[in-house]
Structures are given as structure tokens and as C-alpha cells.
Amino acid sequence: AQSVTQLGSHVSVSEGALVLLRCNYSSSVPPYLFWYVQYPNQGLQLLLKYTSAATLVKGINGFEAEFKKSETSFHLTKPSAHMSDAAEYFCAVDTGRRALTFGSGTRLQVQP
Amino acid sequence: GAGVSQSPSNKVTEKGKDVELRCDPISGHTALYWYRQSLGQGLEFLIYFQGNSAPDKSGLPSDRFSAERTGGSVSTLTIQRTQQEDSAVYLCASSLVVEVRTDTQYFGPGTRLTVL
């Protein structure tokens, strides 16, 4: 069964610093992978998705993620953190059962 | 509407009571999904609808949980005889069709359920 693991439940960076949120996947078939963001008291919003067209995927708000099959990873990065990036981030994989399986989430704090 | 809406936003109930959670998807979206977000469990898939039909109910945690969708629009998630472990945020999402690989799911703000 497809699954994702997010390393680090909390990540804290300084404003302007690199953001790196880690996600590793397990899948018996080529996976479709997603990153979602959840701002306080809001629903999840799609940041980006990997559908095998390109290994480097660019999303909204300056985020991008690179699919690395050899490392079974799909880490999310942003070159320079902004205060408004503080939120919870979820990695997800298509289960093949018409639904998504989400990781446990990583809460990003951005320090001024 | 502009987005997925859910009601109520917060629900506090006593153990053993029944609750109904409502989801109003984006107009024209044929696919509707329910997820549960609880502390220590992360986000888990419960059920999806294609139109009014729910082909896969295996994600529902127990037979106390049921869901229906009428008119291809509004969906109701019902929890009977609520237990404290049912406390969670229940999220609804909709998409144009049931194709998670290519079709973006749009999430509502959720209903926070607290069972005392």
C-alpha cells in the first residue's frame, strides 16, 4: 500500500532562510505525490503535485519539490522563508483507491 | 459558491449522542470526499462520493459512521452514539471528478467535533 512519512513534526526557520520539509514515500507503483498547506482555521490548499511529467515541480507561493526515485523522496523547499509561510504542511500520495493518504504533517514556524 | 463550506464549524456533544456534519461542495463538482484529522492520527480518508454513490465505504472507522449525498450536491456525515475517540476535525473536499491524480481536491475549513 502507498504511504508517506514526514520527518519532523515541527520545523523552525528564520525569515529569509531556506525552508526544507521532508517527505518520503512508499509505493509499489509509480506514485502521484502532493503537498498541501493548511493555514490556521482554514482548509487544506494544494501547493503542488507530481504526476511524472517532470521531477522538479513548481508550486504556488515560491515552493517547489523534487521527486527523487532513488531516495523515494519528495521534499518541499523554498529558498527564502516569509512570515506568511507559517502553517502546517502535509505530504500525500494517491492510494489508487480514489483517495489520498496523508502524512502526519509538519508545522513550520518562521522566526523574525 | 466560492468554495467548499462545512457546518457547523464547531460541535460539542455528549458521549452517546448522534451528530450530523454537513458539507456543501463547489457547484458542479461531482466528487466529494470526507477526511478526519485527529491528534496523533493525522489525516485519514473516510469515504468518497461519485455523484450520489459511495462505491467504497471501507474507510469508515465503524458502523456508527454513515454518510449520504443527495442531489449530487450536499453531503451529510452522521456519527451515531458518539464516543470520545470520535473527537477530531472532519474535513470535506470536492473535485470535478473522482480522479485524484489529475483533479485537484478543494477542501473546506472543517468541522471541529468535541465529544465530552
Side-chain angles (χ1 to χ4, degrees):
Chain A
Q2 288 86 339
S3 65
V4 289
T5 301
Q6 292 183 244
L7 300 176
S9 58
H10 289 82
V11 170
S12 183
V13 301
S14 299
E15 192 172 18
L18 171 72
V19 175
L20 170 61
L21 305 181
R22 300 177 186 273
C23 173
N24 288 88
Y25 70 89
S26 173
S27 178
S28 57
V29 298
Y32 283 65
L33 295 159
F34 306 78
W35 275 101
Y36 279 83
V37 61
Q38 186 177 33
Y39 298 104
N41 300 316
Q42 294 186 28
L44 278 74
Q45 179 182 3
L46 181 67
L47 271 178
L48 50 82
K49 61 183 176 183
Y50 167 75
T51 59
S52 77
T55 57
L56 183 62
V57 183
K58 294 186 183 298
I60 61 172
N61 301 338
F63 283 93
E64 61 182 36
E66 186 172 9
F67 174 75
K68 291 187 177 181
K69 184 178 179 180
S70 61
E71 299 177 6
T72 61
S73 68
F74 189 58
H75 301 332
L76 182 71
T77 60
K78 182 174 180 178
S80 176
H82 192 273
M83 296 296 290
S84 61
D85 294 326
E88 189 154 20
Y89 293 79
F90 294 90
C91 182
V93 64
D94 167 32
T95 65
R97 290 176 52 230
R98 307 291 184 94
L100 297 173
T101 291
F102 288 84
S104 53
T106 298
R107 187 167 297 279
L108 175 67
Q109 289 182 314
V110 182
Q111 308 290 342
Chain B
V4 179
S5 60
Q6 293 185 245
S7 62
S9 55
N10 280 284
K11 176 71 175 178
V12 180
T13 189
E14 293 180 349
K15 178 181 173 181
K17 301 281 190 183
D18 297 352
V19 295
E20 284 189 353
L21 312 179
R22 175 189 168 108
C23 172
D24 209 331
I26 293 173
S27 178
H29 280 193
T30 64
L32 186 147
Y33 306 81
W34 283 99
Y35 294 86
R36 179 168 71 173
Q37 185 177 23
S38 48
L39 282 174
Q41 298 287 334
L43 262 163
E44 62 177 315
F45 165 73
L46 298 178
I47 190 170
Y48 82 88
F49 287 88
Q50 173 60 58
N52 293 333
S53 173
D56 183 359
K57 300 181 180 179
S58 61
L60 295 175
S62 78
D63 58 8
R64 296 185 295 104
F65 286 71
S66 63
E68 65 174 14
R69 189 179 185 195
T70 55
S73 182
V74 172
S75 176
T76 302
L77 178 69
T78 301
I79 309 173
Q80 295 179 311
R81 305 181 303 281
T82 52
Q83 303 294 312
Q84 289 183 331
E85 60 263 28
D86 299 334
S87 296
V89 176
Y90 289 82
L91 293 169
C92 175
S94 72
S95 61
L96 275 173
V97 294
V98 180
E99 182 46 76
V100 295
R101 295 184 167 192
T102 56
D103 201 23
T104 299
Q105 293 185 26
Y106 295 88
F107 283 78
T111 293
R112 182 176 297 278
L113 174 66
T114 303
V115 182
L116 302 177

